[in-house]
Structures are given as C-alpha cells and as structure tokens.
Amino acid sequence: MENLAKYIDHTLLKATAKKEDIKKLCLEAKEYHFASVCVNPCYVGYCHALLKNSDVKVCTVIGFPLGANTPTTKCQEAQEAVRLGAQEVDMVINIADAKDGNFKAIEEEIALVKKASYPALLKVILETCYLSDEEIVQACKAAKAAKADFVKTSTGFGTGGATTHHVELMRKTVGPDMGVKASGGVRSKEDALDMIKAGATRIGTSNGLAIVE
C-alpha cells in the first residue's frame, strides 16, 4: 500500500516516557511523515514546538485511560490541550455508562468535549474489549450523533486491543464518512493492512517504524 505512514498515529503513552523519548518519537514521525504523534497531555506543548512547520500533527488523550473523569474535567483537559497546540484529541468514553446502557449520557459528554476541543479533530475511544457488539454499535451511534470525527477501538491499556471484527462493526455502524481508528496490538504491516481492509482509516501504534520499514 502506498503511503501507509499517513495512516499511523505514532504513539507513546507510557507513564515512564521521558522527554528524550518524546523527542525521538517526534523526529521519527517527521522522518517517516506519520499522520500524528499521540502523547500524554503534559507533552503537547513540547511536541507542538518540535513539530511546527512539519506535516505531522500533535494528538493527545483525554480522560485517559479509564474514561471515568467527569464531563467538566474532560472538557477542561481538552481545552487546555488545544491551547497548548493539540490538533487531534482522543477521548475515552465513560465505559460504565455504556455498561449501564446510558448512551444518551455518552452522547451528551462527547458533544461537550467536541465543543471544548474545537477546532481539533475529535476521536472517541470506546475500549471495545469491555463492550458487547450491541454496546459498541450504540456507542458508535452516540459518537456519530454528537458529531465526533472518529471512533477508536482501544486505549492500549485495557484487557485487549483492536480486532478486525470490531473495526468492521464500527465501520458498518458509522458509515463511510466518519473515521475509524484501530489501536492496541497493531504490531506489524500485516496487522495494519488487515485493519485498513476492515475499515480503519487511522492506526494507533507504538510500532510505527516496524510497520513502515
């Protein structure tokens, strides 16, 4: 596939990631022309400075990794991230609301974060390893109704990552015009191509170099 790098969010979200690790991530992203670097909020400003005048965007995570913050906290986090230079924001839904069947609350929260993170692109992490197929469908519908730009499978910190089955289900639910991001456990070029074939338009991975090389 031509330009596989443009599908990839070059990701480093480990709690132990040092500044030198983040710098290396940004330099690699510039060299390979990845879509973005995905980092924890404390590194957004640093990445923004390193990546200005490049084609690589700065992506960060909100309500990460449990999704259990209040909507107000998620909104404040998103606003600050955008102020610091984030162009893409990946928020975790309240997973307990999904298990309770409270998809209206999920839709309302996503809509609030969408407004707070404007003009950044908003990706909504479902953490599919904890959800049934029906819960995934309903969460996707909530994200679409709230006008999110993407739905995303996983944080990479749950009990499982992306599966082609879940990506296909998400793509079928949101239709052709919304993004689907597969993340968690995508380690090889074959994995990445399988996810794209299933309907993913973005891949979140800490194995970007192995995939493109």
Side-chain angles (χ1 to χ4, degrees):
M1 169 173 282
E2 283 296 305
N3 220 0
L4 188 55
K6 273 294 161 212
Y7 281 84
I8 292 173
D9 288 346
H10 197 33
T11 302
L12 182 53
L13 295 166
K14 285 179 182 159
T16 52
K18 302 191 297 289
K19 210 166 184 179
E20 66 191 80
D21 302 322
I22 298 297
K23 185 176 183 180
K24 182 170 175 275
L25 185 85
C26 289
L27 293 175
E28 289 167 353
K30 274 165 85 164
E31 183 184 346
Y32 288 93
H33 301 282
F34 290 129
S36 81
V37 294
C38 187
V39 297
N40 281 307
C42 61
Y43 284 126
V44 167
Y46 182 58
C47 292
H48 177 67
L50 287 174
L51 292 168
K52 64 174 185 247
N53 306 322
S54 82
D55 60 349
V56 181
K57 291 185 167 59
V58 179
C59 172
T60 195
V61 287
I62 300 299
F64 193 87
L66 300 178
N69 317 50
T70 65
T72 304
T73 300
K74 288 181 187 177
C75 287
Q76 288 170 338
E77 221 182 342
Q79 273 177 329
E80 185 179 24
V82 172
R83 183 179 62 75
L84 292 170
Q87 296 142 296
E88 302 192 354
V89 164
D90 294 15
M91 70 167 280
V92 189
I93 63 166
N94 185 312
I95 299 156
D97 277 340
K99 299 312 292 179
D100 277 334
N102 194 356
F103 294 98
K104 193 70 201 160
I106 290 174
E107 182 187 330
E108 286 166 0
E109 181 181 77
I110 296 167
L112 287 170
V113 177
K114 170 76 178 170
K115 191 175 173 186
S117 57
Y118 181 83
L121 195 79
L122 177 65
K123 309 190 203 99
V124 175
I125 306 173
L126 309 184
E127 202 68 296
T128 48
C129 61
Y130 297 133
L131 304 180
S132 67
D133 282 8
E134 181 55 27
E135 287 162 349
I136 290 168
V137 167
Q138 292 305 321
C140 284
K141 286 179 176 175
K144 189 173 183 179
K147 298 189 165 43
D149 300 289
F150 272 75
V151 283
K152 174 178 168 181
T153 58
S154 322
T155 61
F157 288 77
T159 55
T163 67
T164 52
H165 169 68
H166 286 155
V167 171
E168 283 170 356
L169 185 63
M170 290 159 73
R171 170 55 67 208
K172 186 178 166 191
T173 306
V174 300
D177 300 326
M178 205 169 157
V180 175
K181 179 173 170 180
S183 64
V186 183
R187 296 193 175 92
S188 67
K189 184 177 181 180
E190 290 68 33
D191 291 344
L193 292 174
D194 285 346
M195 293 302 170
I196 291 165
K197 192 176 170 189
T201 47
R202 196 75 71 87
I203 305 288
T205 180
S206 55
N207 297 282
L209 297 189
I211 289 169
V212 295
E213 286 176 343

